[in-house]
Amino acid sequence: MLDLRNVRLAYSEKVLLETTHLQFHRGNLYTIYGKSGVGKSSLLNKIGLVAASDSAMEYFFDGQRIDSDNPALTSLFIAEEVAFVFQQQNLLNDLTVKENLLLPLQFYAESEASKELRIETILKEMGIEDLLDRYPEDLSGGEEQRVAIARALVADKNIILADEPTNSLDDENKWLVCSLLEDLARKFNKIVIVVSHDPTVIAIGDEQLHFQDKHLIGGTIRQSMEEAGEWQARIRTKVSIPLQKHRRHPLPRLLSAFVSLVVAIAVASFNIQSLFASRYQSLVSQSLENGFLVIHDTLQLNTKKVMDDFLSLTSEEINQIKDSGQIESVQPYMEFPSIGMTVENARDYLTAGRSTEPSVTINGQTVSLSKPYSIQPLFATNTTQRQIQYFDNTQTEGVYLSEQFINNEKLKNIVAGSEVSVSFYVPIALYENSIEKEGVIFKGDGDLYVKQERTFNVLGIVKSEYPFDYSPYSNSLFMDSQQMKRIQDEAIAENPLKETTLGGFNLKAWSPSAVHLIVKDSQTIPQEVQRIKALSSKFSIVSSFENYEQFSKGLQYIQNFLLLISGVLLVLVVAILSFVFYLVNRTRRFEVGILKALGYQTKQVLVLFFKELLLYGRRIFLISASILFILAVLPMQVLQLHLQDIIQFYLNSIMWLLCLTFTVLTISGLMPIYQTCKQSIVDTLRTNR
């Protein structure tokens, strides 16, 4: 028996039903009727515990009080005892008839085979076994109502509530539904309560309850029957809710493809900038010279050229310069000019220098030059080879011509195997002098040379942008620094100094006024430059690091720009995913009411929809992952990355894709469902149909 005490219906100040006491017995069919708006459906919702809880009402079933203020216990009671047959939309559209009938059976610890047998038996008894694999949209109104009644039977619930079950049905289906409702009460011994305005339906009631003057009028049937005891004793063990198969994906394919593309691009752009950031350091290191020049700029001219009258460095100063764990090598800077002071021309050096007409011989043909030239050292830094256009890399001894020299002198026929004969001067000693600058006398020294004439193979052309062009001469040839050092050592050995002075100037052993340093890592150049500058204010540094500061800033700008674009795309993706999945589940909120009317608690509803969202997310994830695989090839080509870099990029992107897709769709997709779950069941059904 179902016993309701202190039942009252009121909206604001309007009373629909005065406080009353209602009893409903097994095996009876009750019909409730009255004018529209008198409260028939509201009363049915109170009886089924799907309306907002009423603390004044006392609810008893089979002698056991049900705490209707406790949502969990209420859902448990509905799941076990109460079945609803609504006027329309009784079923979940994306599930087959079989899957809809399985929904209330998920609360029973039975095997799947046993559940399926129960469903097939009920449908066969009702003559609708052919509907088993059909979808709700393929059913007629009468067929849907019969399936809803079958759902009540298959779950073996004791309280059947039907709200206008025959509305909009033809006569044949109307009589069929009425017959089924009568069978539920009399054949299956259920409590059946039907709300209707149809006289045919009202007439089948064993007790007909009529709303009149805020009271429920009708005959009372009393049956002597044994109560069944506590309903909780019959509740079966609950099991987890399985993942239901959908008839179709709610997202159109074109929309799925578009969303997947945007997601893939956003994830790829975010990871490509992080990949670019790691590659950025490598690019800078490879593009930045790992060598720089330290000049003893005694006149503090702040020039990038090594002047002949700068004061030479002492051994102590050279040791201080190279006293660092980052220094790989220290090489003296020397230059072989086309004219230089020797012991023989010291007296008339200035006059001889002005009258000299420099020339070179290329492949036996002498070419007069417009300006003096010099041979400069070519230092083996990490970028030197990129600055050279090679004609012959099979030899190590020879010279390189600069593009500027070739262009200035309009030299031709410089090809592989060309020979250049030059006359040059090799420094073998120093003479001490002094220099006056703005009334201040500074110590200085100059190079003392010996003349040599040699023929060299042309090994290549040094590009105009080579950063270590330190000579004051505009016409330059280059030679490997080690080769120049060997030539100087030979010249010093062959020309020992016999004089101690030269024209009143003291002579001393040769020492460079500039040294070239190569560091182990180009990124440490700024620190080394600062260290050396701290040794003396007269040390001037010439480094390509300054040349690459703009390059570094450009790379940083690109990285920041990519980061900004990535952020914008990620926000766009979150917005798109949120909007799409919010709309997808927003249109299905009425299903929440159906599920809760079946006894599903909020947590169980969220779990069910979450599992469905996983299906949507899996589709987007798989499409996006495929697009990412294609996009992963692009940075490999553009940035010339290694395979391991691409693998790392792809794995990072997949992790981001996984987190982004499932996090966003879970939050956005479950938000409307959670909001709907907070409503009462009747409000959910009424407002979301």
Side-chain angles (χ1 to χ4, degrees):
M1 182 181 71
L2 179 62
D3 187 3
L4 279 70
R5 304 170 187 174
N6 300 322
V7 181
R8 185 174 182 271
L9 295 177
Y11 290 96
S12 298
E13 301 298 325
K14 184 179 180 180
V15 176
L16 300 178
L17 179 65
E18 296 288 358
T19 303
T20 187
H21 179 196
L22 300 174
Q23 288 185 339
F24 303 96
H25 297 267
R26 297 175 187 271
N28 292 327
L29 189 154
Y30 299 84
T31 55
I32 302 174
Y33 66 99
K35 297 178 180 180
S36 297
V38 295
K40 302 186 298 296
S41 295
S42 298
L43 176 60
L44 195 69
N45 293 330
K46 270 190 174 292
I47 295 171
L49 295 177
V50 297
S53 64
D54 183 357
S55 58
M57 183 182 72
E58 293 184 280
Y59 198 102
F60 294 87
F61 180 67
D62 288 349
Q64 178 69 32
R65 186 177 185 278
I66 308 302
D67 185 3
S68 59
D69 290 330
N70 188 317
L73 287 178
T74 301
S75 295
L76 200 61
F77 177 75
I78 293 173
E80 180 67 18
E81 302 293 355
V82 183
F84 283 88
V85 180
F86 303 110
Q87 179 179 335
Q88 57 182 354
Q89 289 185 322
N90 286 280
L91 309 176
L92 271 64
N93 292 331
D94 288 334
L95 303 182
T96 63
V97 168
K98 177 183 176 181
E99 290 167 341
N100 268 283
L101 267 60
L102 278 171
L103 285 174
L105 297 182
Q106 303 309 325
F107 300 102
Y108 296 82
E110 296 181 19
S111 67
E112 292 301 312
S114 175
K115 293 175 184 178
E116 292 180 5
L117 178 61
R118 184 191 295 202
I119 291 172
E120 291 172 2
T121 301
I122 293 296
L123 291 181
K124 189 173 183 179
E125 287 182 6
M126 298 179 66
I128 53 174
E129 64 272 17
D130 58 322
L131 305 181
L132 188 66
D133 296 318
R134 304 257 295 271
Y135 285 86
E137 66 179 22
D138 301 324
L139 304 177
S140 66
E143 288 173 333
E144 184 174 355
Q145 294 295 63
R146 289 156 72 186
V147 171
I149 294 172
R151 187 173 59 191
L153 279 172
V154 78
D156 195 25
K157 298 192 177 185
N158 290 305
I159 303 171
I160 314 299
L161 306 177
D163 189 3
E164 302 285 2
T166 61
N167 193 31
S168 301
L169 298 183
D170 56 29
D171 289 341
E172 181 181 354
N173 280 302
K174 184 187 301 183
W175 282 110
L176 187 56
V177 169
C178 287
S179 176
L180 289 172
L181 292 173
E182 288 182 302
D183 285 347
L184 283 172
R186 294 156 190 160
K187 180 179 178 181
F188 295 98
N189 198 37
K190 309 295 183 184
I191 299 173
V192 180
I193 305 172
V194 182
V195 166
S196 181
H197 65 278
D198 189 331
T200 303
V201 178
I202 297 171
I204 66 172
D206 297 311
E207 183 171 354
Q208 300 164 15
L209 304 176
H210 177 221
F211 269 88
Q212 183 177 341
D213 298 328
K214 304 177 184 179
H215 291 84
L216 202 59
I217 308 300
T220 302
I221 298 178
R222 292 288 182 266
Q223 286 189 197
S224 176
M225 59 181 297
E226 183 178 351
E227 300 293 356
E230 295 186 359
W231 65 272
Q232 286 94 334
R234 298 191 305 274
I235 295 179
R236 324 270 175 84
T237 304
K238 293 196 174 186
V239 296
S240 60
I241 302 170
L243 182 63
Q244 301 291 343
K245 296 180 180 179
H246 286 270
R247 181 185 186 186
R248 58 187 178 274
H249 197 283
L251 295 179
R253 293 189 177 184
L254 186 60
L255 180 58
S256 295
F258 170 73
V259 171
S260 301
L261 178 62
V262 175
V263 171
I265 292 176
V267 171
S269 65
F270 188 85
N271 283 280
I272 196 66
Q273 70 83 23
S274 62
L275 179 65
F276 183 84
S278 61
R279 182 64 172 164
Y280 159 78
Q281 296 298 334
S282 176
L283 286 172
V284 170
S285 296
Q286 292 177 9
S287 302
L288 183 62
E289 288 277 358
N290 65 343
F292 62 96
L293 194 72
V294 180
I295 303 174
H296 199 194
D297 186 3
T298 51
L299 298 181
Q300 296 187 321
L301 299 177
N302 295 320
T303 177
K304 293 185 177 181
K305 305 298 182 180
V306 181
M307 312 301 291
D308 184 53
D309 48 8
F310 283 167
L311 186 63
S312 60
L313 293 163
T314 65
S315 298
E316 182 181 357
E317 288 172 326
I318 293 176
N319 288 333
Q320 289 177 332
I321 290 172
K322 67 180 182 181
D323 185 20
S324 170
Q326 292 297 327
I327 303 300
E328 192 171 86
S329 67
V330 177
Q331 300 178 51
Y333 177 86
M334 67 182 71
E335 196 169 349
F336 298 165
S338 59
I339 182 67
M341 181 183 291
T342 67
V343 174
E344 292 77 19
N345 70 7
R347 187 177 298 275
D348 55 355
Y349 169 69
L350 294 178
T351 303
R354 285 192 294 267
S355 62
T356 299
E357 295 181 358
S359 64
V360 295
T361 300
I362 301 176
N363 295 328
Q365 182 178 357
T366 301
V367 179
S368 297
L369 305 177
S370 62
K371 298 177 182 178
Y373 62 86
S374 74
I375 300 177
Q376 290 189 68
L378 194 66
F379 298 106
T381 66
N382 62 327
T383 66
T384 296
Q385 289 190 351
R386 294 208 299 267
Q387 304 293 340
I388 298 173
Q389 299 175 353
Y390 280 101
F391 289 91
D392 186 356
N393 58 4
T394 62
Q395 302 184 52
T396 58
E397 297 287 329
V399 294
Y400 304 84
L401 275 63
S402 69
E403 282 184 333
Q404 186 178 8
F405 184 24
I406 294 173
N407 294 332
N408 287 345
E409 301 300 337
K410 299 180 176 57
L411 301 178
K412 299 179 181 179
N413 302 321
I414 308 297
V415 295
S418 294
E419 291 185 342
V420 175
S421 298
V422 290
S423 173
F424 57 92
Y425 290 76
V426 181
I428 59 172
L430 296 173
Y431 63 88
E432 296 179 340
N433 65 4
S434 59
I435 306 160
E436 182 179 348
K437 177 188 175 186
E438 299 176 358
V440 179
I441 304 299
F442 294 91
K443 288 183 178 181
D445 47 37
D447 287 328
L448 184 65
Y449 299 91
V450 294
K451 184 178 180 180
Q452 293 201 3
E453 293 181 357
R454 293 197 186 188
T455 298
F456 300 100
N457 290 324
V458 176
L459 302 181
I461 307 298
V462 177
K463 298 178 182 179
S464 298
E465 59 266 25
Y466 179 63
F468 295 122
D469 184 358
Y470 303 130
S471 174
Y473 299 97
S474 57
N475 283 341
S476 295
L477 292 83
F478 289 91
M479 184 182 292
D480 181 77
S481 60
Q482 298 294 337
Q483 182 182 347
M484 291 184 70
K485 185 66 170 62
R486 287 195 297 271
I487 291 175
Q488 185 195 41
D489 291 341
E490 291 171 1
I492 291 175
E494 293 172 0
N495 297 274
L497 285 177
K498 299 177 182 179
E499 298 86 355
T500 58
T501 61
L502 183 66
F505 295 110
N506 293 325
L507 294 177
K508 61 180 180 180
W510 187 86
S511 181
S513 58
V515 290
H516 186 271
L517 280 66
I518 294 181
V519 298
K520 298 175 182 178
D521 184 358
S522 58
Q523 296 297 311
T524 64
I525 287 182
Q527 292 81 7
E528 289 301 310
V529 167
Q530 293 301 318
R531 179 185 66 83
I532 293 172
K533 283 184 176 180
L535 297 176
S536 172
S537 61
K538 295 181 181 180
F539 287 163
S540 178
I541 308 294
V542 182
S543 168
S544 63
F545 183 81
E546 289 78 8
N547 299 336
Y548 285 94
E549 282 188 338
Q550 292 302 318
F551 171 73
S552 178
K553 289 179 181 178
L555 290 177
Q556 188 64 48
Y557 173 81
I558 294 174
Q559 181 185 358
N560 292 338
F561 179 75
L562 285 174
L563 185 60
L564 176 63
I565 294 298
S566 303
V568 171
L569 284 175
L570 283 175
V571 171
L572 180 62
V573 164
V574 170
I576 290 176
L577 285 176
S578 299
F579 180 72
V580 168
F581 287 106
Y582 184 87
L583 288 184
V584 166
N585 276 358
R586 187 176 183 275
T587 59
R588 300 181 60 207
R589 288 191 297 182
F590 80 91
E591 297 180 6
V592 175
I594 296 176
L595 290 170
K596 297 198 78 172
L598 291 173
Y600 281 69
Q601 298 180 29
T602 296
K603 179 180 178 181
Q604 295 166 328
V605 173
L606 292 176
V607 169
L608 184 61
F609 276 89
F610 174 72
K611 290 181 177 180
E612 292 182 347
L613 284 170
L614 290 181
L615 288 176
Y616 311 155
R618 184 178 66 180
R619 183 175 185 179
I620 290 179
F621 175 80
L622 292 176
I623 298 175
S624 298
S626 301
I627 297 173
L628 274 172
F629 182 79
I630 298 173
L631 294 177
V633 179
L634 297 180
M636 186 174 185
Q637 299 298 323
V638 175
L639 296 178
Q640 298 180 349
L641 300 175
H642 300 295
L643 180 60
Q644 61 183 20
D645 295 325
I646 292 301
I647 293 175
Q648 185 65 39
F649 163 74
Y650 187 71
L651 291 178
N652 288 341
S653 298
I654 289 297
M655 291 302 299
W656 269 91
L657 176 63
L658 191 66
C659 295
L660 178 67
T661 303
F662 290 100
T663 300
V664 172
L665 72 86
T666 299
I667 295 174
S668 61
L670 292 184
M671 187 180 299
I673 301 303
Y674 177 71
Q675 291 173 339
T676 304
C677 285
K678 292 194 295 185
Q679 297 177 318
S680 66
I681 299 175
V682 64
D683 288 339
T684 301
L685 293 169
R686 183 176 63 248
T687 59
N688 294 297
R689 286 190 184 278

